[in-house]
């Protein structure tokens, strides 16, 4: 998982508005992580609000020869038909939809142009979506989540490595926090430090830390 946050841990500056958090250093970190991944995964909300391309580009801005598969994880309906991911033709697209995801008239959600659709078990949540990818031979997934998807990954204990790019500004009270909703703690007086820092550095004007799960080291 890769996230870009402010000094006060905010993922976006306002709900429903595309926010640019990190600078050129953070963008280079993102490029390297995407280049190493089999699949780059984002949530349906991110596709709707940020309209990302999720591609890998060379230093001159051109598309790199190798592109990871781009995946959009949806909980109930398909991503907006006009999303850049669905229309730019820059790299393969997979849309992950629950088995019972339908539109109001009972038909499958419209997708134009039609990408590859993988159905997953919604009762298993994000685990079901990752299992659907694994069943097709995917072994390395980079997730660029919004607050809801990050919370789902955390609650499912599905994050092996977390790359945090921190920019030198604050978001404030109205900005979106990294995690949506509540997180249960075994001991309210003690933080459950599930991950440990393994690397830290500077990328341009941004700070970068890498975290890995403790029990898998």
């Amino acid at each position: 998982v890769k996230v870009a946050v402010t000094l006060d841990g905010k993922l976006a500056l306002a709900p429903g508005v595309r926010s640019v958090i990190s600078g050129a250093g953070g963008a280079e970190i993102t490029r390297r992580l995407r280049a190493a991944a089999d699949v780059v995964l984002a949530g349906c909300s991110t596709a709707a609000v940020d309209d990302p391309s999720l591609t890998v580009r060379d230093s001159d801005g051109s598309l790199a020869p190798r592109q990871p598969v781009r995946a959009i994880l949806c909980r109930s309906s398909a991503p907006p038909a006009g999303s850049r991911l669905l229309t730019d033709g820059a790299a393969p697209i997979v849309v992950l939809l629950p088995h019972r995801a339908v539109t109001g008239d009972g038909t499958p959600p419209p997708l134009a142009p039609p990408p590859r659709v993988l159905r997953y078990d919604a009762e298993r949540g994000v685990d079901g979506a990752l299992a659907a990818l694994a069943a097709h031979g995917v072994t390395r997934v980079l997730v660029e989540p919004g607050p809801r998807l990050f919370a789902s990954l955390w609650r499912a204990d599905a994050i092996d490595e977390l790359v945090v790019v921190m920019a030198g500004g604050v978001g404030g009270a109205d900005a979106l926090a990294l995690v949506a909703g509540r997180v249960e703690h075994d001991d309210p007086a003690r933080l459950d430090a599930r991950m440990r820092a393994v690397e830290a550095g500077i990328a341009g004007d941004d700070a970068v830390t890498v975290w890995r799960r403790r029990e898998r080291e």
Side-chain angles (χ1 to χ4, degrees):
V1 173
K2 173 262 171 184
V3 294
V5 298
T6 61
L7 290 174
D8 53 344
K10 300 303 176 69
L11 201 62
L13 301 182
V17 178
R18 183 179 187 274
S19 302
V20 178
I21 301 296
S22 60
E28 175 60 17
I29 295 295
T30 300
R31 187 193 70 80
R32 294 182 184 182
L33 291 171
R34 288 179 181 176
D38 297 325
V39 168
V40 179
L41 174 67
C44 221
S45 295
T46 297
V49 174
D50 291 350
D51 195 22
S53 66
L54 303 182
T55 54
V56 180
R57 295 189 175 271
D58 291 331
S59 57
D60 62 359
S62 62
L63 286 170
R66 179 197 176 273
Q67 293 292 328
V69 173
R70 302 173 296 175
I72 309 173
L73 175 57
C74 301
R75 291 180 172 85
S76 58
S77 61
S83 298
R84 185 168 14 173
L85 287 161
L86 298 178
T87 59
D88 63 10
I93 288 289
V94 168
V95 175
L96 290 151
L97 287 170
H99 288 296
R100 297 182 180 178
V102 294
T103 57
D105 60 3
T107 60
L111 299 170
R116 183 176 186 182
V117 176
L118 293 183
R119 296 286 180 169
Y120 69 93
D121 182 356
E123 293 186 359
R124 295 182 60 192
V126 72
D127 276 341
L130 293 174
L133 288 172
H136 285 76
V138 173
T139 59
R140 185 170 177 84
V141 179
L142 170 65
V143 187
E144 299 183 20
R148 287 181 61 192
L149 181 52
F150 185 91
S152 296
L153 291 163
W154 186 265
R155 294 182 186 117
D157 198 15
I159 303 174
D160 294 315
E161 182 175 276
L162 173 64
V163 179
V164 180
V165 178
M166 181 171 284
V170 297
D174 295 331
L176 292 181
L178 174 60
V179 180
R182 302 182 62 178
V183 175
E184 299 296 329
H185 296 282
D186 293 335
D187 182 352
R190 183 181 179 86
L191 178 68
D192 173 23
R194 182 182 301 172
M195 311 194 83
R196 68 183 186 91
V198 297
E199 189 176 353
I202 305 297
D205 294 332
D206 303 320
V208 183
T209 51
V210 180
W211 302 78
R212 293 197 183 121
R213 292 174 53 161
R214 287 179 178 273
E215 64 272 24
R216 293 193 178 181
E217 288 295 315

